[in-house]
Amino acid sequence: MIASTAPPRAAAKPAFAIDFVLIGAIGLAAAGHLLIKYGLNSAASQPPAAAVAGVWGYLTNPGVIGGLLVYGVGTLLWIVSVSKRDISYLYPVTALNYVLIAVCGKFLFGEEISLGRWLGIAIVILGVGMMRGSTGERKQ
Amino acid sequence: MNPHLALWLSIGLGGIAQIALKSGVGAAIGVPQPTNLTWWLQLAKSFPVWLYVACFASATGLWLIAISKLNISYAFPLLSSNFVLVAVLARFILGEVVSVRRWASIFVICVGIIVLATS
């Protein structure tokens, strides 16, 4: 009988699913940030008198509310991701947010991406690519 | 509130939030799936998960205060120190094995964010 040498864990299937959930979490977080930025842009012309009043003003802004809702759904996907892998692996991967936001900022808000910014985007992607080799799934 | 204080409190609470979340979901029993209601109900009754929610909400509010006053090109690179903080806390509080490769990846990502935000 050689059946006992078979791997006891079915690890292969969830790996893809979790990548999918993680990408969803990061994408929705970026979308939420962009909506919040859109809302804050329109509110920036009215400087708050005090910190508490300022926070209330931001939290009642339609762009901020919509952004927080999208961000909330992204957070639920994030919680599922966190349950599957090391936090010291997952959290730095969310740096892809910065890449998504920079690229979306160009196409949605017409912001210029300088050569230096493209370099930064490339370095972040390189770092996340290096992360792929240490997914933290070796623990039993 | 001083926007610099708000920024650093936001970074610190943001890091603590992720560690609390990880310890909360780590203690939950069952298959973590978006459709597994039993699993979500366990999380809803978990103290570390509520600590995560509280820290995360505070960090978000403080971040909004900070970026309303500070230059975004100053605040964003500092936010990347979060990745280092989370890795250090994960290593010493949760006992995660942070390999040299993972530290190197975090370093490269931080460099990328600094270049991205200061260009």
Side-chain angles (χ1 to χ4, degrees):
Chain A
M1 291 281 285
I2 55 165
S4 61
T5 59
R9 296 164 294 137
K13 188 178 71 83
F16 173 78
I18 266 310
D19 281 342
F20 195 71
V21 171
L22 179 59
I23 289 166
I26 292 170
L28 287 177
H33 264 299
L34 289 165
L35 271 170
I36 290 168
K37 174 64 179 165
Y38 179 77
L40 287 178
N41 274 353
S42 58
S45 54
Q46 301 150 13
V52 175
V55 170
W56 182 248
Y58 296 142
L59 291 181
T60 53
N61 179 291
V64 173
I65 291 171
L68 289 176
L69 284 176
V70 171
Y71 205 99
V73 176
T75 301
L76 294 180
L77 295 182
W78 172 247
I79 290 172
V80 174
S81 304
V82 168
S83 69
K84 305 274 181 102
R85 285 189 182 162
D86 283 0
I87 192 74
S88 60
Y89 161 77
L90 289 168
Y91 197 55
V93 171
T94 62
L96 286 177
N97 260 324
Y98 298 112
V99 174
L100 286 175
I101 287 167
V103 172
C104 290
K106 175 180 169 63
F107 292 107
L108 296 181
F109 301 134
E111 294 177 359
E112 276 302 308
I113 300 185
S114 64
L115 194 63
R117 281 194 178 186
W118 281 120
L119 179 66
I121 288 169
I123 296 171
V124 169
I125 292 172
L126 173 70
V128 171
M130 287 167 65
M131 269 291 184
R132 293 287 300 142
S134 68
T135 54
E137 288 177 293
R138 70 210 159 286
K139 59 189 174 189
Q140 304 287 316
Chain B
M1 179 185 272
N2 182 322
H4 295 274
L5 178 64
L7 176 64
W8 286 108
L9 279 176
S10 174
I11 290 168
L13 285 172
I16 292 167
Q18 299 302 330
I19 300 300
L21 175 63
K22 180 65 185 174
S23 78
V25 297
I29 304 159
V31 184
Q33 288 292 337
T35 51
N36 186 345
L37 200 61
T38 318
W39 187 74
W40 287 106
L41 283 173
Q42 278 187 81
L43 294 192
K45 288 185 275 187
S46 158
F47 172 74
V49 171
W50 282 105
L51 184 64
Y52 160 72
V53 172
C55 288
F56 190 78
S58 312
T60 304
L62 289 163
W63 173 249
L64 293 180
I65 291 172
I67 61 167
S68 69
K69 303 276 175 60
L70 298 173
N71 209 326
I72 199 81
S73 62
Y74 167 77
F76 254 76
L78 291 179
L79 197 59
S80 72
S81 62
N82 231 336
F83 299 136
V84 178
L85 176 66
V86 166
V88 168
L89 293 178
R91 162 77 181 77
F92 289 105
I93 293 178
L94 301 177
E96 286 188 4
V97 180
V98 185
S99 63
V100 173
R101 181 183 182 132
R102 193 175 291 177
W103 283 121
S105 308
I106 292 168
F107 176 77
V108 170
I109 288 168
C110 288
V111 169
I113 290 167
I114 291 166
V115 171
L116 175 61
T118 55
S119 300

